[in-house]
Amino acid sequence: MSWTAADAPGLTLAGDAQVAAGVVFGANVTVHEGTVIGEGCAIGDNAVLGKQPTLSAGSTARRGPLPGLVLGAGCMVSAGAVLSAGSTFGGHCVVGDLASVRERCTIGRGVVIGRGVCVENDTSIGDNTKIQSNAYITAYCTLEESVFIAPCVITTNDNFMGRTEKRHALVRGALIRRGARVGGGATLLPGIEIGEEAFVGAGAVVTRDVPARKLVVGSPARVLRDVPDEELL
Amino acid sequence: MSWTAADAPGLTLAGDAQVAAGVVFGANVTVHEGTVIGEGCAIGDNAVLGKQPTLSAGSTARRGPLPGLVLGAGCMVSAGAVLSAGSTFGGHCVVGDLASVRERCTIGRGVVIGRGVCVENDTSIGDNTKIQSNAYITAYCTLEESVFIAPCVITTNDNFMGRTEKRHALVRGALIRRGARVGGGATLLPGIEIGEEAFVGAGAVVTRDVPARKLVVGSPARVLRDVPDEELL
Amino acid sequence: MSWTAADAPGLTLAGDAQVAAGVVFGANVTVHEGTVIGEGCAIGDNAVLGKQPTLSAGSTARRGPLPGLVLGAGCMVSAGAVLSAGSTFGGHCVVGDLASVRERCTIGRGVVIGRGVCVENDTSIGDNTKIQSNAYITAYCTLEESVFIAPCVITTNDNFMGRTEKRHALVRGALIRRGARVGGGATLLPGIEIGEEAFVGAGAVVTRDVPARKLVVGSPARVLRDVPDEELL
């Protein structure tokens, strides 16, 4: 069931939100101030678009006014998803049920953000990258184009876990190069770089950078072999 | 607080949905076309029942019309849960808060699907199986009867992570036999079979099939001993 | 966008709920019987406050009437969060989007419960503890003050995974002492104690107690060195 903005049940639409032609809504959608929804987007039941961040007193995320959330044409946002103000999505992205994307993220075109995924603040995701269900992409990550993140992957960005003042300068998320693939449940330590078209096996704990086109497995992860040519982009 | 369909606040109920006697709803529930809700079911606040899948352009999940979601008698669906069209639940299942079950799943009787769990498409779950909080059951899995999946277990189904055409024929989820138990945070590689009444320790990474009634631990998981008789069904 | 109880869209407020001065609500909030919301709290879109638990027939959680949820002054509860009856929060806590806290939990002052976190029943959390996104805190855990739980940490409490009668007496969650830090994706076996100011590396599988001020890494986790003085509280 979907409806236009004129007749969607339970729709709460900020006065200055922009809704392009052909946009449809499920039930009980909330659209916050300044949100821009591109042509032909479909927004699922209970989705929350463009909310302002909820920061704790001690949060190190930047503060200050944020521009509205921007969704490019043809995006599909599924039931219960929560997207924050200050982020932009290119056209034809899919956001799964109960996923979240926080503030100041730049999401490319054709990106898939799976069910239950959390993308934290200040992260950048390239075109056609896929992040599967329940993966966790921490703040200050860069995922280039055509990256594949399997379900339940874990990324981290702070070796000091909230202690010392110098940590603020050292927080660094993952840098995942074009076409790399990271297997289900793998954990990446702070600041790890995964090279182009590299492959991280399921369940690996990655403590060092992974060279381009190498396959790593284990805890801690070690290079096992090259990625086969037939699996390259 | 719960209400009948006649007076539940914020209820959006498709015209052709079937609601049996004694069903109660929380606030802001959405029930999509063709959904069948059995006698005495209790549906929590913000639950979404019978939604059509949101598939990306590149998704390999099957497409086409789906029959409505069917909930057997006495099911309890908790707050914010999202259940897709095309799946069926036997009687007296419990679905936890913020859990999802996707399309074409067959869920037995008395199954517990915990808080935040995701069961992907085309998966089959036997009677009295329990899946605890935040576990991830990928597409094309089979869980037999009386299986116990501890919190945050991870399953996978694609060794190629989205590359090559031949992968489509090789995608295979986990096969978890009757009475097997899988410990918290364990990761199962694609196509793994866990034998009857086997036990996988918490945090294990399972790279080979596990024989019936064996206990495995570690990364990669190795057989440690037999499951004690007193713990068999 | 936020509103007072008098004008919040889609607010369902139990007749006996208590809402102090200065409380604001997002859209479609549900507040169950007996809930007490302290001065200046901010409740996000679709939040569910004070729900009664949904217990399966075989659940071992205690049953019986629960007092209402109590939120201290200045708490912020984010979009889609689900908090159960019978729990209490001190002042100035933050609960992230899509997080849950179950029944009979005692949460201190200034606690942060991140996005997607699940805190199960009968757990106690000390002042100023931070639990980051998607971490899983099982039933019967104790986290003391100023603990830091990184994203996607997994705790467990039942070595028998639902079998035998004697297990009921042996269920034991984690005990995490003051100022301890647990890294992203780490898994703690049942009944583990993490000593004061100890540090568990990302991805570790902790099978034995960790002494105070020691740093452990790996699977199974082993002591690597002392926590540096500059990182102590």
Side-chain angles (χ1 to χ4, degrees), chain A residues 16-17 74 79 84-85 106-108 114 118 124 132 157 176:
Chain A
D16 67 347
S84 292
T106 304
I107 313 290
C118 175
S124 168
Q132 295 205 316
N157 65 15
I176 307 184

Side-chain angles (χ1 to χ4, degrees), chain B residues 23-74:
Chain B
V23 174
V24 294
F25 297 91
N28 302 320
V29 170
T30 304
V31 181
H32 287 265
E33 293 92 339
T35 298
V36 177
I37 307 179
E39 196 170 330
C41 287
I43 314 299
D45 307 317
N46 303 335
V48 174
L49 303 185
K51 68 160 263 185
Q52 294 292 319
T54 319
L55 299 179
S56 67
S59 171
T60 58
R62 279 187 285 150
R63 289 158 196 276
L66 290 168
L69 169 74
V70 177
L71 296 179

Side-chain angles (χ1 to χ4, degrees), chain B residues 173-186:
Chain B
L175 167 55
I176 306 185
R177 295 288 187 191
R178 172 179 174 279
R181 293 173 287 169
V182 182

Side-chain angles (χ1 to χ4, degrees), chain A residues 77-95:
Chain A
V77 178
S78 304
V82 179
L83 309 182
S84 292
S87 286
T88 61
F89 288 72
H92 302 281
C93 292
V94 174
V95 178

Side-chain angles (χ1 to χ4, degrees), chain A residues 73-165:
Chain A
C75 287
M76 293 191 286
V77 178
S78 304
V82 179
L83 309 182
S84 292
S87 286
T88 61
F89 288 72
H92 302 281
C93 292
V94 174
V95 178
D97 296 327
L98 302 165
S100 335
V101 177
R102 283 188 53 189
E103 63 273 20
R104 288 185 303 276
C105 290
T106 304
I107 313 290
R109 185 183 169 81
V111 170
V112 177
I113 292 176
R115 181 272 175 202
V117 166
C118 175
V119 177
E120 300 278 21
N121 50 289
D122 297 285
T123 278
S124 168
I125 300 179
D127 293 349
N128 301 314
T129 281
K130 288 187 188 172
I131 304 174
Q132 295 205 316
S133 299
N134 291 10
Y136 176 70
I137 308 299
T138 189
Y140 309 105
C141 283
T142 299
L143 281 60
E144 295 186 347
E145 316 84 58
S146 302
V147 163
F148 186 99
I149 304 291
C152 308
V153 164
I154 300 170
T155 59
T156 60
N157 65 15
D158 177 10
N159 276 312
F160 296 86
M161 292 201 277
R163 298 281 167 80
T164 77
E165 283 309 306

Side-chain angles (χ1 to χ4, degrees), chain A residues 23-85:
Chain A
V23 173
V24 294
F25 296 91
N28 302 321
V29 170
T30 304
V31 181
H32 287 265
E33 293 92 339
T35 298
V36 177
I37 307 179
E39 197 169 329
C41 287
I43 313 299
D45 306 318
N46 302 336
V48 175
L49 303 185
K51 68 160 261 184
Q52 294 292 318
T54 318
L55 299 179
S56 68
S59 171
T60 58
R62 279 188 284 150
R63 290 159 196 275
L66 289 168
L69 169 74
V70 177
L71 296 179
C75 287
M76 293 191 286
V77 178
S78 304
V82 179
L83 309 182
S84 292

Side-chain angles (χ1 to χ4, degrees), chain A residues 1 3 9 27-28 45-46 76-80 94-95 97-98 112 115 130 133-134 146 148 150-152 179-185 197 199-203 218-219 230-233, chain B residues 10 12-14 28-33 46 48 51 54-56 58-59 80 82 98-100 116-118 120 134-136 154-156 158-164 166 187 189 205 219:
Chain A
M1 295 185 292
W3 298 268
N28 302 321
D45 306 318
N46 302 336
M76 293 191 286
V77 178
S78 304
V94 174
V95 178
D97 296 327
L98 302 165
V112 177
R115 181 272 175 202
K130 288 187 188 172
S133 299
N134 291 10
S146 302
F148 186 99
C152 308
R181 293 173 287 170
V182 182
E197 306 240 33
F199 183 111
V200 175
S219 171
E230 64 168 8
E231 296 185 24
L232 299 178
L233 286 177
Chain B
T12 302
L13 185 64
N28 302 320
V29 170
T30 304
V31 181
H32 287 265
E33 293 92 339
N46 303 335
V48 174
K51 68 160 263 185
T54 319
L55 299 179
S56 67
S59 171
V82 179
L98 302 165
S100 333
V117 165
C118 175
E120 300 277 21
N134 291 8
Y136 176 70
I154 300 170
T155 58
T156 61
D158 177 11
N159 277 313
F160 296 87
M161 292 203 276
R163 297 281 166 80
T164 77
K166 73 179 180 194
T187 300
L189 268 71
V205 177
S219 170

Side-chain angles (χ1 to χ4, degrees), chain B residues 7 70 122 135 139 192:
Chain B
D7 56 6
V70 177
D122 297 284
I192 288 291

